[in-house]
Amino acid sequence: MFRSRNTILALAIVCIHSTHGYNNDSARKLLKPAIFPLVEKGCTNADSFGWPKFHTRDELVTNTKWASYFKLQYGNLPDTYPVCVYDFSFINPIAYNQAGLAGSRPLVNISASMRSGDLFRSEIGYGIYHPMWKPVPNNTWVEVAHTVFPTELVGAWVWTARGTGIWANVGKTKVFPTPADRSKIHQEAIAWLRKGCSVPVSNNWPQMESDVFGKCAREKGYDSIQFEPQNGEVPVGTFGMTGLTEMVLVNMDGCLSCGVPDPADTPLRAGWAASSPCTCVDKPMADSCGLMAKPPPPIIFEEPPLCKLRAENRSASCSGYTCATWTCSH
């Protein structure tokens, strides 16, 4: 259907929280963890690959640099032990440097010869390389990273990244593969989610993603969709981004700074083991903020526009570097 320029502009600058299949109770059930929340298991690998393992709080306190890092990243020291730094797939480079850890471990170049435990520079910070991947069980709190894009109207696409200090609960979850053939990316998930879905799914990208991974997934009663690392990719990762795998948080909206309209209602958590509420605030969105500069071929005119600038001028380019990220203050 033809849309006027004003309609396209409105789509670009207004992020409306969809209520299709949205149950406020189901969203709020993830708001507060149990007294002992179910989080990803730690220290499951017998080898720490040169990274420290702290059996007690006293051991961590004695290591002043790592104690400083944990306070900077999580707001306080862990209250459950043992703690294995190798568990992290994400290291905050700012906190790492401020804690005096810079240079304590060599930064390796990303290559097919990477080994377990290698510290490398990733798209979202520093990463600790893990060649093995496991899906997250139902109702588990996991750490994630998310960039706020205006086109994620329903559902939030995140990277699973242990160590970010930003926690989300996967709730009822389902896992799909990420094929090596990029033309088949997400196709199995799309077909499964569309089957029997009553939602009119747009043929326009990226609106289709909100309809399928947001509205249809909500209708089917899922809280998250996980994707395996890309098949055959070495080193392990997705789309050439080492160490990163995708997940959709179905009941949150990626165009919102806190995932929901009211920051006070965010289901995100903070602190060690999701022990603290996430204090987040709405952030203004730059006119140039967008998932990518322009739509991927053969798409010429995307709907909604990738950023406000393209709503006003379809020859304009967007940039993900001007977008905000989900953050929780300690």
Side-chain angles (χ1 to χ4, degrees), residues 32-74:
K32 294 182 178 180
I35 296 175
F36 299 103
L38 177 62
V39 299
E40 290 182 277
K41 292 182 179 179
C43 297
T44 58
N45 199 302
D47 194 336
S48 294
F49 301 99
W51 292 99
K53 178 178 181 178
F54 303 105
H55 296 85
T56 65
R57 180 185 177 93
D58 287 342
E59 282 189 14
L60 178 52
V61 170
T62 300
N63 190 318
T64 56
K65 291 182 179 180
W66 276 107
S68 176
Y69 179 84
F70 277 93
K71 289 178 181 178
L72 288 167
Q73 185 64 4
Y74 288 98

Side-chain angles (χ1 to χ4, degrees), residues 174 176 187-197 217 220 222 225:
K174 189 169 180 64
F176 290 96
Q187 291 306 305
E188 183 177 329
I190 291 170
W192 188 85
L193 289 168
R194 290 191 67 168
K195 186 176 181 179
C197 178
K220 286 182 178 287
Y222 282 86
I225 303 295

Side-chain angles (χ1 to χ4, degrees), residues 135-214:
V136 181
N138 286 336
N139 304 312
T140 302
W141 288 89
V142 296
E143 289 169 281
V144 301
H146 173 72
T147 301
V148 180
F149 295 123
T151 47
E152 291 187 18
L153 301 175
V154 189
W157 290 77
V158 303
W159 298 117
T160 55
R162 192 166 185 173
T164 63
I166 300 173
W167 299 82
N169 195 304
V170 301
K172 182 181 179 182
T173 190
K174 189 169 180 64
V175 183
F176 290 96
T178 304
D181 184 347
R182 293 199 178 193
S183 68
K184 298 179 181 179
I185 297 293
H186 302 148
Q187 291 306 305
E188 183 177 329
I190 291 170
W192 188 85
L193 289 168
R194 290 191 67 168
K195 186 176 181 179
C197 178
S198 68
V199 176
V201 176
S202 174
N203 291 322
N204 297 310
W205 180 88
Q207 178 63 50
M208 180 270 291
E209 291 185 345
S210 287
D211 293 341
V212 172
F213 292 100

Side-chain angles (χ1 to χ4, degrees), residues 69-325:
Y69 179 84
F70 277 93
K71 289 178 181 178
L72 288 167
Q73 185 64 4
Y74 288 98
N76 212 328
L77 296 181
D79 51 13
T80 54
Y81 293 85
V83 170
C84 294
V85 175
Y86 174 67
D87 288 343
F88 296 148
S89 60
F90 169 84
I91 292 289
N92 183 332
I94 297 175
Y96 192 75
N97 293 338
Q98 288 181 354
L101 290 163
S104 61
R105 182 102 180 188
L107 274 169
V108 307
N109 294 323
I110 294 175
S111 70
S113 62
M114 288 179 68
R115 297 177 297 179
S116 295
D118 280 347
L119 180 68
F120 65 98
R121 195 182 305 275
S122 76
E123 280 72 16
I124 61 172
Y126 288 164
I128 298 178
Y129 184 60
H130 295 76
M132 303 297 292
W133 180 88
K134 293 181 180 180
V136 181
N138 286 336
N139 304 312
T140 302
W141 288 89
V142 296
E143 289 169 281
V144 301
H146 173 72
T147 301
V148 180
F149 295 123
T151 47
E152 291 187 18
L153 301 175
V154 189
W157 290 77
V158 303
W159 298 117
T160 55
R162 192 166 185 173
T164 63
I166 300 173
W167 299 82
N169 195 304
V170 301
K172 182 181 179 182
T173 190
K174 189 169 180 64
V175 183
F176 290 96
T178 304
D181 184 347
R182 293 199 178 193
S183 68
K184 298 179 181 179
I185 297 293
H186 302 148
Q187 291 306 305
E188 183 177 329
I190 291 170
W192 188 85
L193 289 168
R194 290 191 67 168
K195 186 176 181 179
C197 178
S198 68
V199 176
V201 176
S202 174
N203 291 322
N204 297 310
W205 180 88
Q207 178 63 50
M208 180 270 291
E209 291 185 345
S210 287
D211 293 341
V212 172
F213 292 100
K215 297 176 183 178
C216 287
R218 288 179 184 179
E219 186 174 274
K220 286 182 178 287
Y222 282 86
D223 300 301
S224 65
I225 303 295
Q226 298 181 61
F227 289 95
E228 299 171 353
Q230 195 157 6
N231 186 35
E233 188 163 301
V234 179
V236 172
T238 307
F239 312 140
M241 292 180 281
T242 300
L244 297 178
T245 54
E246 293 183 298
M247 180 167 63
V248 184
L249 298 174
V250 172
N251 288 307
M252 301 184 73
D253 295 336
C255 60
L256 299 172
S257 299
C258 302
V260 292
D262 186 348
D265 288 338
T266 184
L268 298 173
R269 300 285 296 182
W272 181 256
S275 58
S276 305
C278 172
T279 303
C280 63
V281 295
D282 284 326
K283 302 172 185 175
M285 186 175 293
D287 291 352
S288 58
C289 168
L291 175 64
M292 57 187 68
K294 293 183 178 180
I299 301 170
I300 299 176
F301 296 111
E302 75 281 12
E303 185 181 339
L306 287 165
C307 64
K308 183 180 177 182
L309 289 183
R310 282 187 58 78
E312 299 168 340
N313 178 2
R314 284 301 177 129
S315 65
S317 295
C318 309
S319 173
Y321 293 106
T322 62
C323 299
T325 59

